Amino acid sequence: YQWHLDNPVYGGIEAEEAWNTSTGSGVTVAVIDTGVAYENYTERNRRNKYYRAPDLATTLFAPGYDFVNKDTHPNDDEGHGTHVTGTIAQSTNNSVGVAGVAHKARIMPIKVLNKNGSGTYADIALGVRYAADNGAKVINMSLGGSAKASYLEEALAYAYGKGVTIVAAAGNSGNDTPSYPAGYDAYVISVGATRYDETLAPYSNYGASIDIVAPGGDLSVDQNGDGYGDGVLQQTFSRQTNNWGYYFYNGTSMASPHVAGVAALLIANGNATTPQEVRAAIEATAQNLGTPGRDNTYGNGLVNAAAALGWRP
């Protein structure tokens, strides 16, 4: 069901071939989102209980922070961040569930969105700075807003200056209006979403700020004939924090962590280590989908994990 990683018709991002070279070991990826189901934890008032996702049992984690509740337990109370994390580093080769792109990478959970999936640019900016100051080499942000904010851009510049590769979802408005932080082109790799057949998903933003596309899925169709809408499959919870299941989601939120995972593979492999090199490797080796060269629909094309690992500066 993980057509987005590999499939016999369109290929996905060629993850299995990439794993022969790199699994992301030693690289810390910050997931700035609703938090992650990474620990078994009960709050002091015992009203809120959190659990580690079963299919994250062997995934490595670095200390993170909860900027919503101002504590050191960035647990997920919405489900989105856990699903996103699975695409990057779901426990793999464990005979359970599903796989992640860079499954030996270390995840740094940073919570900036509340249980309703809402948050502020101020917390996002703080999360970016926290990741940069605490050893993250990649940041994934499957979130965004329509407005600019100078302090957010300054935080991105700060992290980029410290050698952090920053990846963000392009947005789900289906138009060419940039979403932020993805729209800050100097610092961020902006990721649009494709369907199973490698056409642009109808909800995906496009335009001059799109750098790359990755599988985001489209639940309204079943192009691969597996009996399910063509979403990206990962484990998360529904309604209660211990109600586990494997869910198909779609969105540029699902596309972005594919690229963040590939960035981790590159950095671990050593063929691209700086943000500039990681961007160059991903863009130069992407599968062209539109007109020759870059275009405003697919950017530089569909990310290809295996090809990117063969790139040399």
Side-chain angles (χ1 to χ4, degrees):
Y1 298 124
Q2 288 192 287
W3 57 268
H4 45 102
L5 298 185
D6 271 284
N7 71 74
V9 179
Y10 290 98
I13 67 166
E14 296 193 11
E16 288 191 75
E17 184 178 351
W19 295 332
N20 292 326
T21 303
S22 178
T23 54
S25 180
V27 178
T28 298
V29 181
V31 177
I32 300 180
D33 210 292
T34 61
V36 180
Y38 76 104
E39 66 170 348
N40 297 316
Y41 175 69
T42 301
E43 292 183 350
R44 288 182 181 178
N45 61 17
R46 305 189 68 81
R47 294 181 61 186
N48 295 317
K49 294 185 177 182
Y50 301 97
Y51 305 88
R52 186 164 179 152
D55 208 5
L56 292 176
T58 62
T59 299
L60 301 174
F61 288 95
Y65 194 80
D66 181 345
F67 287 95
V68 176
N69 300 296
K70 308 297 190 266
D71 62 39
T72 56
H73 296 277
N75 291 289
D76 193 356
D77 52 9
E78 198 278 341
H80 184 272
T82 299
H83 194 283
V84 166
T85 295
T87 295
I88 300 170
Q90 193 78 272
S91 299
T92 301
N93 290 332
N94 59 346
S95 300
V96 174
V98 290
V101 175
H103 46 266
K104 292 297 184 182
R106 182 179 292 105
I107 296 295
M108 178 185 292
I110 299 176
K111 182 174 175 62
V112 299
L113 304 178
N114 64 23
K115 63 182 180 180
N116 299 313
S118 299
T120 67
Y121 279 170
D123 282 347
I124 295 169
L126 289 171
V128 169
R129 290 181 180 272
Y130 179 95
D133 287 340
N134 288 277
K137 298 305 294 181
V138 181
I139 290 173
N140 183 80
M141 289 180 286
S142 291
L143 48 76
S146 59
K148 295 182 178 182
S150 59
Y151 54 87
L152 177 57
E153 184 175 14
E154 289 164 3
L156 297 169
Y158 175 78
Y160 188 85
K162 296 195 75 169
V164 182
T165 296
I166 307 168
V167 184
N172 300 328
S173 300
N175 59 40
D176 62 356
T177 302
S179 176
Y180 297 94
Y184 288 116
D185 300 327
Y187 313 115
V188 181
I189 299 173
S190 176
V191 186
T194 53
R195 308 195 303 172
Y196 173 80
D197 66 358
E198 297 183 353
T199 60
L200 194 73
Y203 56 77
S204 178
N205 283 13
Y206 51 90
S209 71
I210 299 298
D211 297 306
I212 201 81
V213 291
D218 183 354
L219 290 170
S220 70
V221 295
D222 180 16
Q223 295 177 324
N224 65 354
D226 64 3
Y228 297 94
D230 294 333
V232 171
L233 185 66
Q234 290 296 345
Q235 186 182 64
T236 189
F237 58 86
S238 175
R239 295 181 300 278
Q240 296 180 340
T241 54
N242 63 347
N243 185 31
W244 304 108
Y246 291 92
Y247 295 93
F248 291 100
Y249 282 10
N250 67 193
T252 57
S253 282
M254 285 57 256
S256 182
H258 286 83
V259 177
V262 173
L265 297 180
L266 289 167
I267 295 168
N269 188 48
N271 65 307
T273 57
T274 68
Q276 297 90 339
E277 289 175 347
V278 171
R279 178 190 287 270
I282 288 172
E283 293 181 354
T285 60
Q287 177 189 342
N288 188 270
L289 295 177
T291 57
R294 191 203 171 279
D295 63 66
N296 284 347
T297 302
Y298 299 102
N300 290 279
L302 180 68
V303 65
N304 185 309
L309 287 166
W311 178 88
R312 293 294 181 269

